[in-house]
Amino acid sequence: MTADPITPVLTKRWLSPQSWRLSTYEDLEGYSALRKALKGSPEQLVQLVKDSGLRGRGGAGFPAGVKWSFMPPNEDKPHYLVINADEGEPGTCKDIPLMMADPHSLIEGCVIAAYAMRSHHCFIYVRGEALHPIRRLNAAVREAQAAGYLGADILGSGFDLELTVHAGAGAYICGEETALLDSLEGRRGQPRLKPPFPAAAGLYAAPTTVNNVETIASVPYIVNGGADWFRQMGREKSPGPKIFSISGHVERPGQYEAPLGTTLRELLELCGGMKDGIPLKFWTPGGSSTPLFTAEHLDVPLDFEGAAEAGSMLGTTAVQIFNETVSVPWAVMKWTQFYEHESCGKCTPCREGTYWLAQILERMVDGHGTEEDIDTLLDVCDNIFGRSFCALGDGAVSPITSGIKYFRDEFLALCESNKRELVGAQA
């Protein structure tokens, strides 16, 4: 297998007729990687994924092979593989199209990963509102079982795997891996205290690995192409292809596969540029929980290191584009209302902090803000960041702190209009 920087890898089957069917998948190299993987040992597969440099595509970017290696080698307890298909980050829409267009690539990746980690039960936790992908995944699981790719003695290898598709209850917090595990066990989705980490005591207190859909769907390509082939794409510390979800004020919003390290300037070319030619004002590199970027950041390489060096995070590569017609305080308020609604309420900084942030922003956007409100917002953000139980709190403050950093004048303008109203009333 060879690849140049724009050869589709993860999305190569998406436009094939009935791409979700097993017959189409098998015609296009489907399950060839599984046959190859089952001839090797679990240790060889873990090493291959380590060598490839594949990093978690769910936002954190943790090396997948290292995460797999945390699973204990013995089988005193059952080992579980859990796929995080909750996808609740505003602007993120890569996993649902992948499950819709190419569910068998995820299933094949699950079987290979489960074999590598000596797991005999895999769960795919799908966001509850995503009914169509759930049905399509279930149909694909039935096809795979009938063809001998799932179940007992897969392809005569002696390896057994049961795969369960689970519909979540539609809570953003269940994208956090330990809250997902609680939800999967039938409890309220709330994050757990770590340690113990899932690799030691995860689902049903047994060793568990939680991976994102796109991470696992990348595995069959690595098995077929090899670690060196995978490293030809992307950058040294962030290799491989990535699906960028581009939404907002662009001519052709959608999913665009490109190597990690691609810049927004290049992505805008792919999607036809800014809608109606209205200039770019601000954008998110990885969904609303990543700090904002501005037009000055058009040439930031969008990989884990590049985004961090420029003051944000790659996140889930949910690239939301806003032109000059959008008010930054208004956009920040809408995101904050989302985080207030989705806070699970377990910890005080997030539960109370998001409530007060939303109250202050709503008042400011209504034109009743004061200059002190800006300091109060930053003070509340400071009391949430790094102090909440999980990363939801950190994500909730990112749009506010970065919005004030780059567009303080817009927040001040809301305060000045309030001053003028007060002066007019006193006169």
Side-chain angles (χ1 to χ4, degrees):
M1 286 172 99
T2 59
D4 65 58
I6 54 168
T7 302
V9 177
L10 296 164
T11 58
K12 72 175 185 177
R13 300 186 190 89
W14 285 20
L15 295 177
S16 303
Q18 294 197 309
S19 60
W20 55 90
R21 296 277 184 213
L22 177 61
S23 54
T24 308
Y25 189 68
E26 287 178 323
D27 289 342
L28 298 169
E29 299 180 348
Y31 291 106
S32 58
L34 176 59
R35 289 184 168 86
K36 193 173 177 181
L38 290 172
K39 290 174 184 170
S41 68
E43 292 78 14
Q44 286 172 321
L45 282 169
V46 172
Q47 191 58 48
L48 173 68
V49 174
K50 271 187 184 176
D51 293 343
S52 73
L54 174 67
R55 295 176 66 170
R57 303 308 201 218
F62 193 80
V66 175
K67 197 173 194 178
W68 291 12
S69 69
F70 292 157
M71 291 288 271
N74 56 14
E75 294 189 54
D76 301 342
K77 287 183 175 181
H79 293 187
Y80 293 113
L81 171 64
V82 177
I83 310 304
N84 185 344
D86 189 67
E87 193 164 62
E89 180 69 26
T92 310
C93 44
K94 62 185 179 63
D95 296 339
I96 283 174
L98 195 153
M99 292 185 289
M100 286 286 291
D102 198 9
H104 283 284
S105 67
L106 173 60
I107 292 169
E108 184 177 11
C110 287
V111 184
I112 295 169
Y115 175 68
M117 287 179 270
R118 298 176 174 82
S119 168
H120 299 288
H121 201 147
C122 171
F123 295 86
I124 303 177
Y125 184 102
V126 189
R127 190 164 182 77
E129 294 96 336
L131 290 174
H132 202 162
I134 291 167
R135 291 178 186 135
R136 194 155 276 182
L137 263 179
N138 276 318
V141 166
R142 288 193 294 270
E143 281 187 318
Q145 281 175 331
Y149 299 123
L150 281 173
D153 192 23
I154 294 171
L155 298 177
S157 64
F159 174 64
D160 307 336
L161 179 67
E162 185 181 346
L163 196 152
T164 303
V165 179
H166 178 89
Y172 174 70
I173 191 65
C174 291
E176 197 279 334
E177 64 177 19
T178 60
L180 184 154
L181 295 176
D182 262 20
S183 174
L184 197 51
E185 290 178 4
R187 292 200 286 272
R188 182 177 179 178
Q190 289 190 326
R192 299 175 179 177
L193 188 64
K194 293 185 278 193
F197 290 93
L203 187 66
Y204 308 124
T208 305
T209 294
V210 183
N211 275 136
N212 176 259
V213 169
E214 194 183 353
T215 313
I216 292 294
S218 303
V219 170
Y221 302 103
I222 294 170
V223 171
N224 269 337
D228 293 338
W229 165 82
F230 190 76
R231 282 188 171 276
Q232 287 174 20
M233 296 168 281
R235 299 174 87 205
E236 185 186 351
K237 292 183 179 176
S238 300
K242 185 80 185 69
I243 300 170
F244 292 84
S245 312
I246 304 179
S247 60
H249 294 130
V250 292
E251 289 292 348
R252 294 190 300 273
Q255 316 308 317
Y256 290 87
E257 184 180 349
L260 278 164
T262 302
T263 64
L264 181 64
R265 193 183 297 278
E266 293 166 322
L267 290 173
L268 283 175
E269 281 179 31
L270 290 176
C271 56
M274 295 297 294
K275 189 167 177 61
D276 302 324
I278 302 172
L280 171 72
K281 184 176 180 180
F282 64 102
W283 56 288
T284 69
S288 62
S289 61
T290 57
L292 304 180
F293 275 157
T294 67
E296 295 172 16
H297 299 96
L298 271 168
D299 296 309
V300 169
L302 292 177
D303 65 352
F304 295 103
E305 284 70 38
E309 284 164 15
S312 188
M313 294 165 57
L314 186 69
T316 53
T317 58
V319 183
Q320 296 173 291
I321 309 286
F322 298 88
N323 66 24
E324 289 186 347
T325 65
V326 182
S327 154
V328 175
W330 175 84
V332 167
M333 176 194 76
K334 300 303 283 185
W335 282 324
T336 306
Q337 288 170 334
F338 168 82
Y339 289 112
E340 180 204 1
H341 179 77
E342 293 293 343
S343 172
C344 75
K346 182 165 185 169
C347 70
T348 308
C350 180
R351 181 184 67 242
E352 300 298 318
T354 52
Y355 168 80
W356 285 108
L357 291 172
Q359 295 280 309
I360 296 166
L361 284 163
E362 285 161 14
R363 190 176 74 245
M364 291 183 81
V365 171
D366 281 344
H368 301 293
T370 65
E371 223 168 298
E372 291 73 38
D373 283 338
I374 296 174
D375 295 329
T376 305
L377 282 173
L378 292 172
D379 186 48
V380 175
C381 288
D382 190 45
N383 278 294
I384 297 173
F385 188 81
R387 293 175 169 85
S388 56
F389 201 83
C390 77
L392 190 150
D394 294 355
V397 306
S398 292
I400 298 171
T401 53
S402 57
I404 293 172
K405 175 183 175 183
Y406 294 119
F407 298 98
R408 181 181 276 264
D409 55 337
E410 285 196 35
F411 289 87
L412 282 169
L414 297 172
C415 305
E416 284 164 12
S417 64
N418 184 47
K419 276 183 194 170
R420 286 195 292 272
E421 284 175 23
L422 287 172
V423 169
Q426 286 166 356

